[in-house]
Amino acid sequence: MSGASIDKTRRAFLFGATAEPQSDTALRLPWSLPGAFLDACTGCGSCVTACPEGIVSLDGSSRPMVDFRRGSGLCTFCGACADICPEPVFLASTARAATPPWTLRAAIGANCLTHDGVMCQSCKDACGDAAIRFVYAAGRIAQPMIDLDRCTGCGACVDPCPAEAIEIHRAVADA
Ligand code: SF4
Ligand code: SF4
Ligand code: SF4
């Protein structure tokens, strides 16, 4: 293993496997090492075919990214993409079991239909982690709130939202 790979693994173990550098704004794969898709990925596409949920595709630079509007629309954190990758792109398998897959969380935008007084709870219905609750306030209908402690960033709420109001990105505390 090269010195660069050791440094990346240590950094990922200390700070989480997750954060791509700010310069790489694409939604990369769970347990990927910081910057690794730019540095070490060859664009072979093995992770694309390995993903049982069909949510991985190659971007314009032939680097894999997660798209929650493809396939089943959610990441189950099965690790198949990391298992099949032949390059030093992901956290080592021995460390993955004890490390959160990423620090990404869901965020609801201002175009949520409830802001216009339209009743909708599609996101809550889709969330298997009960991370979305609806909050009532005087003079308006209930609006969704993400519980960042429960949200895993799985993406299941993204595609069902009829307003395309939900994005998965780093929690504010991680930015
Ligand atoms: S962890 Fe599993 S479901 Fe998630 S992107 Fe990788 S292969 Fe797909
Ligand atoms: S990303 Fe997953 S866990 Fe988070 S709110 Fe959406 S469905 Fe729930
Ligand atoms: S599914 Fe979308 S539009 Fe509906 S409540 Fe959730 S965020 Fe708002």
Side-chain angles (χ1 to χ4, degrees), residues 46-141:
S46 296
C47 51
V48 176
T49 20
C51 177
E53 304 303 325
I55 60 170
V56 181
S57 63
L58 297 181
D59 66 15
S61 302
S62 294
R63 298 295 180 269
M65 56 179 283
V66 167
D67 181 352
F68 292 118
R69 293 191 172 87
R70 297 171 58 92
S72 72
L74 85 162
C75 179
T76 60
F77 307 114
C78 68
C81 50
D83 288 341
I84 203 164
C85 180
E87 306 298 337
V89 173
F90 292 90
L91 192 67
S93 58
T94 46
R96 287 203 297 272
T99 307
W102 55 26
T103 57
L104 302 177
R105 299 290 181 269
I108 297 175
N111 54 328
C112 168
L113 296 178
T114 64
H115 294 188
D116 292 325
V118 177
M119 284 287 287
C120 175
Q121 298 203 352
S122 297
C123 51
K124 181 183 179 195
D125 294 343
C127 179
D129 293 293
I132 301 177
R133 62 193 172 90
F134 276 70
V135 179
Y136 291 87
R140 62 169 170 79
I141 65 170

Side-chain angles (χ1 to χ4, degrees), residues 18 27-28 102-106 151-153 168-171 174:
T18 54
L27 196 54
R28 301 303 183 188
W102 55 26
T103 57
L104 302 177
R105 299 290 181 269
C151 177
T152 62
I168 304 295
H169 56 67
R170 293 181 189 95
D174 301 319

